[in-house]
Amino acid sequence: MTQHSDAQASWSLSCSSCATPSALAGASVCGSCGQPLFARYATGTGRVLADRWDSWRYSALMPLLAGESPVTLGEGLTPMIEAPSLAKLVGVRRLWIKDEGQNPTASFKARGMSAAMTRARGAGVPGVVVPTAGNAGAALAAYGAAAGLPVQVFAPRTTPRPILDTIEAMGATLVRIDGHIGDAGKLAIAFAAEHGYFNVSTLREPYRVEGMKTMGFEMAEQLGWRLPDAVVYPTGGGEGTIGIWKAIEEMVASGWLPAGTVQPRYVVAQADGCAPIARAFAAGAEKAEPWVDPVTYAAGLRVPSPLGDRLLLRVLRETNGIAASASEQAIADWTKRLATATGIDAAPEGGCALSVLCDAVTKGTISNDAEVVVFNTGSGASYRA
Ligand SMILES: Cc1ncc(COP(=O)(O)O)c(C=O)c1O
């Protein structure tokens, strides 16, 4: 197993499921079992923060090599805004909205692409390709441009227009497809094989999820190095939810948070029209079956067959979590409530998260005494044609 280290970090790759080590060169999924690879870091190092104001503030637990400068556009350090009126409406003690719409290209996907493009540039790949429900393509277009790498994007024709426009404005080659992200995924695999491009599909490479961890680091720092009782995340492919959970595991193992700190309960929010994780969770299953005919206005949640299904279901089991879905009408109503009660330009995915939280509180599965962080993962502006 190759180790890389500098004054702050040392890391290697191994399987998230069977722990088989992997070489860094050409890393994709586990060669033994096909599950996602995880970067692993030295434990017990204590809290080390870089003196900089982007997602690489947390580089001690990020996949950076000695002397390397990351590919960054100033992603991260997004506001976490307390919303007492929403807390009252939903019925919890305290509620914060972490507004990821304020990232470059207006979604949390910027964080993952900053990490992935740092490693892709380091590996000297000739170009990068991604299948996307929308925002990941826009983020890759921007970070590919920043890294000086050619970018190929496959996205559903139904992706909101402003997102498709952003992909092209950043100079990426965009192929609009009939179908969903799963169909785009097959095209991306074929394109990567034919052109030697690096496939940056969710959890098919190990680094996007590393960038997503920075949401977990920030959440803890913004709360004064403590955690909420529950984290509500609108979930499609799962890299956001898994990233936050992984960050907290590592913060405890490295002494950034006190030993024995308990993970928050994770609430995976999906849309009624595409809810493979919520369905598998309700059935007590360890993996999800593909969702046939996925349909939802919340484009980021239209992921019928996430590669991270086993990991997500494990996170839910280990944290006494919940997975549930919201109707299209509830998504629209709660998106509007989120925006009008706070001034945050909410994406429908954020509205979905709030709706699922409200249902969980009404059913008594989340207590009225809870402190909760809800992620608004994108911007409403991305949906206004
Ligand atoms: C705005 C938005 N929210 C949520 C998601 C789902 O995130 P993940 O794939 O990390 O579960 C996406 C994915 O594209 C998205 O664009």
Side-chain angles (χ1 to χ4, degrees), residues 347-368:
E349 291 83 356
C352 177
L354 212 46
S355 173
V356 165
L357 172 64
C358 186
D359 283 352
V361 175
T362 306
K363 287 184 186 136
T365 38
I366 296 279
S367 122
N368 295 119

Side-chain angles (χ1 to χ4, degrees), residues 108-109 133 135 233-240 300-301 349 377-378 383:
F108 75 109
K109 297 287 179 181
N135 281 314
Y233 208 92
T235 302
E239 66 179 4
L301 307 185
E349 291 83 356
T377 43
Y383 291 79

